[in-house]
Amino acid sequence: MHYLHDYQTPAYLIDTVNLVFDLNEKYTIVTAKLYLYANPIIPIHQRHSDLVLNGELLELLSIELDGKLLEKIQFQKTEKSLTILQVPEAFFLEIRTRIRPQENTALSGLYQSNGNFCTQCEAQGFRRITYFLDRPDVMARFTVTIIADKERYPVLLSNGNLVSHQKLPEGKQIVIWEDPFKKPCYLFALVAGHLDCAEDFFVTQSGRQVTLRIYVEKGNLPKCAHAMQAIKKAMRWDEEKFGREYDLDIYMIVAVSDFNSGAMENKGLNIFNTQYILADPATATDMDYIHIESVIAHEYCHNWTGNRITCRDWFQLSLKEGLTIFRDQNFTADTTSPVVARIHDVVGLRNSQFPEDAGPLAHPVRPECYVEINNFYTSTVYNKGAEVIRMQQIILGDVLFRKGMDLYFARHDGQAVTIEEFVKAMEDVSDVDLKQFRLWYSQAGTPVLDIVDDYDATKKTYTLTIKQSCPATPQQPAKKPFHIPIKIGLLDSSGKEIIHDFLQLKSPEEKFTFNSIASKPIPSLLRGFSAPVKINYAYADSDLQILFKYDTDLFNRWEAGQRYTVKLILNLIQDFRAGISLQLPTDYSSIFKFLLETMQDKDKWLLAEMLTLPSEKYLAEQMKIIDVDAIHFVREFVLTELALQLQIVFLEIYEKNHDKKSIIKFDNKFDTHEMGQRQLKNICLMYLMILNNKLYFSMGLNQFNNALLSNMTDTMAALRCLVNIENPEREKVLAQFYQQWQNDALVVDKWFALQATATSPDTLSRVKQLLKHPAFDIKNPNKVYALIGAFGQRNPVRFHTDTGEGYQFLADCVLQLDALNPQIAARMVTPLSEWQRYDKKRQHLMRDQLEMIMRQKNISHNVSELVNKSLV
Ligand code: BES
Ligand code: ZN
C-alpha cells in the first residue's frame, strides 16, 4: 500500500537522459545514459548514499558508473528495483538492459501492436523499459536514439524534434530525437513501424508555424481528416479561451489498434487508440465524431495542464486529469451545444461516478492510499475532479477564475506540483477563502441536499431551508459540511422567472429568504448542475411540468423531465411489483406532446435529449435494492405507451428529418445542426419501432439498408432497434452488417457491442459464442471492452440474470484476462463490486464469484485490490 502522507522528496534527480533503442525481432536492447545528482534540497547529513531505481521485467546486461563497469557487489537487484550502492554526489550511470516487447501482452512499457512498436508509460510503464526513478517529480531532458531495420520500421519517432537521421549498414537506419522540455518519464514515447502520415500545419497566435502529423496504420489515411481538423480547432480554442500556445515546432499523433486506454498525452508525440482518431461518415457515428474531437482536445490540453505543469506524485492525479477533463468539457461546450454538452457530462457523472462514490470502491478526488495506481484512473478522479474545478469557477466567477489559471501557469510552469498549489492560485487572485472548499478533494461520497420551502403570503417572503449530509464511505464514517455553490431560479405559476440567484451553502443547514415574492414560486434548483450533489425536494408533478416547459435554464428544463420520469417510473415499479396493471398518466405524455409541438424547429439535438428517458443505470441508482427486471420492464412500458400516444407526431418528425439517401456531406466540417436532426429522427424511430408493427419495422429496415454503405449513425440507430425485436430479420441484418464491415476492426467492435447489449434472453450464450468468433481477440482491449465490458456494464438485465451465469461468465473472463493484461482485467471487475445493491440471492452469487477470484493463486495487484475492497 502507498500512502500520500509517506511522500518524500527524491534523494537524487536526473538532469539528462540519453536512451538508445536497438529494436530487433526477438528482443530490444536499451542503453540508458543518465546524468544523476544528489537533490540539493536534502541536507548532506540526511542524504542516503544508495541510489534506488525502479525496474520490472528487465534483463540487466551491464552497469557502468562514470565509465567504470560495476562489480556484482556494487549493486543489488530485486524483482522491482535496482540499488546502486555508495554513489557519489553527481555521476553518469550507463545501464544496458534487454526487454521483449513482442511478448508484452500487458500493453504497458514498450510493446507491439500489429507489428509496430509503441509505448505506454503512464503511470508506471517506463520502469518496464529501463531502470529509472519512475516518479513524476523527477523531470529530465531526454535524447532518444532509435536503431531499426529500415524495411520493417521505416518510421521511427520519439518526443520533441528530429535532430539526425542516417542510413546504417545491413539495411538499418538510425534516428535521434531531442526533447527540449524537461519531463517526467511517464511522458516518454517511442513509435517504430510501417505507418502512413497525414500532414498539415497550424500557425499559432504569435505567428509560429507548427507541423501537424497524424500517423496511422497502412490504409487508414482517408479516415484522418476529422482528427486533423480537431487538432487545429483545439489549438485555436486553447489560445482563445486560456491564452495557451503550443510550444514545440511539431505535434504528432500516432493511432494504434492495441491500447489500454483512450489516448495518451506524451510530449509532442501523443499516442491514441485508433477509436479516437479514425472516422468517416460510413464507419463512425455522430457521437464518435464528437468523442474524437473531445479526446483530441483533452490530450492536446494536457500539454499545459499535465506536461508543462505536472503532478508531484500520483495522489495528485486529478490535478492534471480533473483539470484537463474540465478543459475538454469546456471545449466541447463551446464548439457544439453548451446545454447538450452539459447534459452528457452530468449523465456520465451520474451513471458512473455516483455509483462509484456510493460503493466499496469510493475514494476522494485526491486519494490517500492505493495499492495499484492504475486502479485510480477513475470517474471520481476524472469527472468529479472536473466538477470540483467547475465549482471553483462558479464561486470565483469567470474573470477571477481565468486570472487564477493564469497565475497557476505562470507560477508553476516547469514544476511538478500538488492540488494544493492549484487551489492556492485560485485563492491568491480572489479574496475567496477556499479552506472549507478543499474538503471536496479529501472527502469521498456524494453529498445530499434535503430542501424544504416555505411561502409566507402575508410577508410575501419565500424561504428555502437547505440541509446537507454525506453518506459514510470506506475509512470516512463522518463528514464535515462542504462548501456548495447552488445556482437557483424562482418561477411563478405561469412559468415566468421572478428571480435568479447564487447561494453558497457552508453549514449543515441554512435558510435563504427572498423578499417581495407575490405568490408561491416554483424553485429551479441547482441550475446547470452547479455542484455534484443529489437533491431531495418534494416537487409536485405540476411544478415539474412548468419547469420542463418554461425554465430559462435549459439544463434544468431537461432535468425537470428526468425527475418527472424517475418519479413516475418508481411509482410504476411499485405497481408492477404489487401486481397492479400499469397505466401511464395522460399528464405525462401531454408534456412530451407540448415539447414536440413547440421545439421541433429549435434545438433538435436538445429536443432529442429531452425525449430520452433516464437510463436503466440511473434508475437503478434511485432504488435501495436494485430490481433490474422491474426497471427494464417498466421503462419499456413507458416508452411503448409514449410511442402509442404520440406515434403520429413521431412519424411526422421522422419523415421531416430523415434523409432517405442517407448521404452525409461533411466537406471535412462536422455540422452539429445536421447531427441534431439525425439524433432527433433516430429517437423518433426508436419510439416507433418499439411498437413492433410491420410498417415501422420496414421503416427501420429501409433505413438500415439505405444507410449501410454511407452513414453509420443511421445504420446503428436502425440496427439497434432491429436487434432488440424478436424477428427472423434479426440474424439477417447482423450478418449483412458483418459481411459489409468485417475488415474494419472498429466497426466490428460496434457489431460485438451491439450483440452484447441486446436485451433478448439468449444474449449470454451469444456472447459466449462470440468469444470464439475469428474476429474476437482477447489480447485486444477494444475487443474486450466491446464484448465483455459492454455485457457487464451496459446490459443490466442479462448480466444480472438470477441464475448467476452472467457473474460466473464475467469472473471467468477476469481470470483469463488477468494472466495477459491485468489493467484490463481490473477494469472488468467493477460490475461485481456493486453486489450490495442487489437482492440477497444475487448478493450471494456475486460474492461467490469475487471469492472465487480471490482464491486463485497469482492474481495481479490490480485485480486483488479491487476484489479485496469489494468483499469487505
Ligand atoms: N493520461 C491519460 C491516459 C492514461 C489513462 C494513462 C489511464 C494511464 C492510465 C489520458 O490523458 C486520458 O485521460 N485519457 C482518457 C481519455 C480522456 C478523453 C478522458 C482515456 O484514455 O480514457
Ligand atoms: Zn488525461
Side-chain angles (χ1 to χ4, degrees), residues 317-346:
L317 183 59
S318 196
L319 174 78
K320 74 177 179 80
E321 295 302 347
L323 179 55
T324 305
I325 290 283
F326 168 82
R327 276 153 54 69
D328 83 55
Q329 288 180 346
N330 274 278
F331 166 82
T332 303
D334 288 351
T335 56
T336 62
S337 154
V339 58
V340 175
R342 188 64 186 142
I343 290 169
H344 288 171
D345 295 342
V346 173

Side-chain angles (χ1 to χ4, degrees), residues 333-402:
D334 288 351
T335 56
T336 62
S337 154
V339 58
V340 175
R342 188 64 186 142
I343 290 169
H344 288 171
D345 295 342
V346 173
V347 165
L349 190 80
R350 285 174 170 164
N351 283 340
S352 70
Q353 201 278 325
F354 279 19
E356 181 169 274
D357 232 353
L361 303 179
H363 54 275
V365 170
R366 184 188 52 224
E368 239 114 69
C369 56
Y370 61 76
V371 174
E372 170 56 60
I373 184 56
N374 281 303
N375 287 335
F376 284 80
Y377 286 74
T378 60
S379 185
T380 297
V381 168
Y382 274 66
N383 303 88
K384 188 177 181 179
E387 294 299 320
V388 173
I389 304 282
R390 197 170 182 275
M391 286 190 284
Q392 294 174 71
Q393 183 183 34
I394 293 173
I395 291 169
L396 266 68
D398 291 353
V399 173
L400 284 178
F401 177 76
R402 171 63 201 272

